[in-house]
């Protein structure tokens, strides 16, 4: 950290009051962008995507439950992979608290990975997550949502992510997709967020952004290389045996 200017209270008050104007600008801009987001055009979903769930095979319409709105987080985990993404896990650590309220406000939230359920559920149990986690292995869902890519697409450079054609070297990437189901059962894709678009769901960053050191990271996307770990891999984290006795 660089040396900070230490000032009398009246000067401190004036500086912080002046900065508050910028904070309010950001709040108003965030509200404006959220309103614009709600006015974006929708895309009708015409495929019957099937998912492997703990309750057996389900279609996309079933993932809504009793709600008309569905948020899906795409967890970047492909079949037979033993590499669990720290960034995706970091975001997922924040879901259960919000989900207690979302499910009572006409929103269902489901985490989808391309890996088969037999490969994801042990990790979900290890992490202690309660949200629904399903597999899209048996459908084109991840590929159509442009978060997974075939070897042929990668080799040919025919990969699109975050609305841009760009070279992709891995088969699975993270993202958020939002859907709406009308009274007739029609399903629409209303919004997609990729890359750093998931950061607003990571409230740990909001806490860090208020501190003098901020995020204090130099790594790429989500800081996963720099400091973030699976939450049971931080030094000093109690083991399950310790917690239970």
């Amino acid at each position: 950290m660089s040396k900070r200017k230490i000032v009398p209270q009246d000067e401190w008050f004036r500086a912080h009051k002046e900065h508050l104007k910028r904070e309010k600008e950001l709040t108003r801009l965030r509200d404006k962008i959220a309103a614009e987001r709600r006015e974006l055009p929708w895309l009708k979903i015409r495929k019957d995507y099937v998912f492997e769930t703990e309750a057996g095979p389900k279609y996309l319409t079933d993932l809504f439950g009793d709600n008309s709105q569905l948020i899906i987080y795409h967890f970047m985990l492909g079949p037979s992979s033993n590499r669990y993404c720290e960034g995706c896990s970091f975001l997922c650590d924040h879901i259960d608290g919000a989900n207690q309220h979302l499910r009572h406000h006409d929103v269902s939230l489901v985490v989808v990975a391309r890996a088969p359920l037999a490969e994801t559920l042990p990790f979900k149990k290890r992490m202690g997550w309660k949200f629904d986690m399903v597999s899209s292995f048996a459908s084109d869902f991840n590929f159509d949502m442009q978060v997974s890519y075939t070897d042929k697409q990668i080799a040919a450079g025919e990969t699109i992510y975050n609305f841009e054609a760009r070279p992709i070297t891995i088969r699975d990437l993270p993202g958020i997709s939002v859907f709406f189901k009308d009274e007739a059962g029609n399903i629409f894709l209303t919004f997609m967020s990729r890359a750093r678009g998931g950061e607003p769901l990571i409230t740990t960053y909001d806490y860090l952004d208020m501190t003098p050191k901020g995020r204090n990271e130099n790594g790429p996307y989500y800081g996963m290389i720099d400091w973030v770990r699976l939450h049971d891999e931080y030094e000093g984290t109690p083991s399950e045996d310790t917690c239970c006795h």
Side-chain angles (χ1 to χ4, degrees), residues 21-34:
K21 296 177 183 178
R22 297 287 288 160
E23 298 279 5
K24 289 183 176 182
E25 286 177 14
L26 177 60
T27 298
R28 296 186 186 105
L29 179 59
R30 184 169 56 242
D31 290 343
K32 182 175 184 293
I33 291 174

Side-chain angles (χ1 to χ4, degrees), residues 183-200:
E183 293 182 357
N186 298 304
I187 298 175
F188 304 89
L189 177 62
T190 67
F191 182 66
M192 289 170 60
S193 181
R194 305 289 184 257
R196 291 189 65 184
E199 282 190 13

Side-chain angles (χ1 to χ4, degrees), residues 56-115:
K58 289 188 177 183
Y59 292 100
L60 181 61
T61 186
D62 301 317
L63 301 187
F64 284 81
D66 296 328
N67 297 316
S68 69
Q69 302 169 105
L70 171 67
I71 298 173
I72 284 181
Y73 180 71
H74 302 278
F75 196 107
M76 53 181 296
L77 182 67
S80 302
S81 174
N82 58 2
R83 172 71 171 83
Y84 298 107
C85 171
E86 292 93 343
C88 289
S89 301
F90 188 30
L91 185 149
C92 286
D93 283 340
H94 296 76
I95 290 178
D96 284 330
N99 210 14
Q100 298 178 72
H101 305 279
L102 292 173
R103 65 169 64 102
H104 296 290
H105 203 56
D106 197 29
V107 178
S108 295
L109 195 157
V110 177
V111 174
V112 174
R114 198 166 57 85

Side-chain angles (χ1 to χ4, degrees), residues 2-203:
S2 59
K3 188 175 181 179
R4 294 295 190 263
K5 183 179 180 182
I6 309 300
V7 299
Q9 183 177 5
D10 58 345
E11 186 175 344
W12 179 95
F13 186 90
R14 287 194 302 271
H16 283 255
K17 184 177 180 180
E18 185 64 24
H19 173 75
L20 180 58
K21 296 177 183 178
R22 297 287 288 160
E23 298 279 5
K24 289 183 176 182
E25 286 177 14
L26 177 60
T27 298
R28 296 186 186 105
L29 179 59
R30 184 169 56 242
D31 290 343
K32 182 175 184 293
I33 291 174
E36 292 172 353
R37 182 186 302 131
R38 291 190 292 272
E39 295 301 319
L40 288 170
W42 294 359
L43 177 68
K44 187 173 182 178
I45 300 298
R46 302 184 183 277
K47 283 188 179 181
D48 288 331
Y49 297 108
V50 65
F51 300 86
E52 182 187 11
T53 81
E54 294 183 70
K58 289 188 177 183
Y59 292 100
L60 181 61
T61 186
D62 301 317
L63 301 187
F64 284 81
D66 296 328
N67 297 316
S68 69
Q69 302 169 105
L70 171 67
I71 298 173
I72 284 181
Y73 180 71
H74 302 278
F75 196 107
M76 53 181 296
L77 182 67
S80 302
S81 174
N82 58 2
R83 172 71 171 83
Y84 298 107
C85 171
E86 292 93 343
C88 289
S89 301
F90 188 30
L91 185 149
C92 286
D93 283 340
H94 296 76
I95 290 178
D96 284 330
N99 210 14
Q100 298 178 72
H101 305 279
L102 292 173
R103 65 169 64 102
H104 296 290
H105 203 56
D106 197 29
V107 178
S108 295
L109 195 157
V110 177
V111 174
V112 174
R114 198 166 57 85
L117 208 60
E119 298 175 15
T120 61
L121 289 185
F123 181 63
K124 176 188 171 185
K125 182 179 179 180
R126 169 187 162 185
M127 293 290 98
W129 295 328
K130 304 301 181 184
F131 54 74
D132 291 331
M133 193 168 192
V134 307
S135 168
S136 64
F137 179 74
S139 76
D140 295 328
F141 182 72
N142 271 41
F143 299 98
D144 290 348
M145 293 298 110
Q146 297 174 343
V147 291
S148 294
Y149 309 93
T150 65
D151 291 335
K152 182 179 178 181
Q153 286 177 311
I154 293 173
E158 298 173 348
T159 49
I160 298 175
Y161 185 68
N162 206 19
F163 301 98
E164 291 182 351
R166 60 176 72 180
I168 301 292
T169 59
I170 55 178
R171 294 196 63 181
D172 298 278
L173 287 171
I176 300 161
S177 298
V178 183
F179 302 86
F180 179 81
K181 182 167 67 172
D182 65 18
E183 293 182 357
N186 298 304
I187 298 175
F188 304 89
L189 177 62
T190 67
F191 182 66
M192 289 170 60
S193 181
R194 305 289 184 257
R196 291 189 65 184
E199 282 190 13
L201 305 188
I202 304 177
T203 53

Side-chain angles (χ1 to χ4, degrees), residues 90 94 202-217 222-223 227-228 234:
F90 188 30
H94 296 76
I202 304 177
T203 53
T204 296
Y205 273 154
D206 291 324
Y207 287 103
L208 292 174
D209 286 344
M210 290 188 287
T211 65
K213 290 186 178 181
R215 300 185 185 188
N216 195 27
E217 63 187 20
Y222 289 166
W227 68 277
V228 171
Y234 287 113

